[in-house]
Amino acid sequence: MYDVISGDDLPVLGPYSPAVRAGGLVFVSAQAGIDPLTGDAPVTGGFEAECRQALTNLGRVLERAGSDLRHVVRTTVFYTDLTDMPAINAVFADVFAAPPPARSSALVGLPGGRRISIDAIAVAIYPDGLRGETD
């Protein structure tokens, strides 16, 4: 059995769910560096800002699903330019405490001028998805 995590504040661009919670884990679909207030993609401020925004968006979905960035065990990073890997590493080192999650990366083409998209698997710390309800 699994729970689909969705809502108007978690938009998707196709036939998929923002996240699925199953077996004590949360599987989050790839999140881009899109400003959720304006829908601007990519966000202004360069690649590092876009990478940080993608992780912020990922964190927002995780929180809705009953987890957070501290409980991420694996990520997949899709990015468009090999020269951006040092910036990805710097942002990941800043966002994820040691030890960091497992990670795979792939150079890809992304739509709409996006330069990065990140998906994740995390431990569901609040299995019912409601923060504080199961403490």
Side-chain angles (χ1 to χ4, degrees):
M1 199 65 172
Y2 62 90
D3 297 311
V4 172
I5 310 303
S6 63
D8 291 341
D9 61 331
L10 302 176
V12 295
L13 302 174
Y16 61 90
S17 300
V20 174
R21 190 175 47 244
L25 297 174
V26 178
F27 301 84
V28 181
S29 295
Q31 301 294 307
I34 298 171
D35 184 326
L37 298 176
T38 65
D40 289 345
V43 297
T44 58
F47 180 80
E48 184 175 328
E50 189 174 343
C51 184
R52 286 185 186 281
Q53 185 64 55
L55 288 169
T56 296
N57 294 344
L58 190 71
R60 188 168 48 88
V61 177
L62 283 166
E63 286 183 10
R64 172 66 82 76
S67 192
D68 56 38
L69 289 170
R70 293 172 300 155
H71 291 86
V72 170
V73 296
R74 186 179 196 297
T75 63
T76 306
V77 179
F78 305 98
Y79 65 112
T80 62
D81 187 338
L82 188 58
T83 64
D84 288 327
M85 185 51 77
I88 293 168
N89 286 337
V91 171
F92 266 64
D94 191 38
V95 170
F96 293 108
R103 181 176 85 187
S104 295
S105 301
L107 283 170
V108 299
L110 294 170
R114 293 169 181 89
R115 294 173 286 183
I116 190 165
S117 188
I118 305 168
D119 73 14
I121 300 170
V123 174
I125 54 175
Y126 300 104
D128 62 0
L130 303 173
R131 291 176 89 40
E133 295 291 320
T134 59
D135 290 315

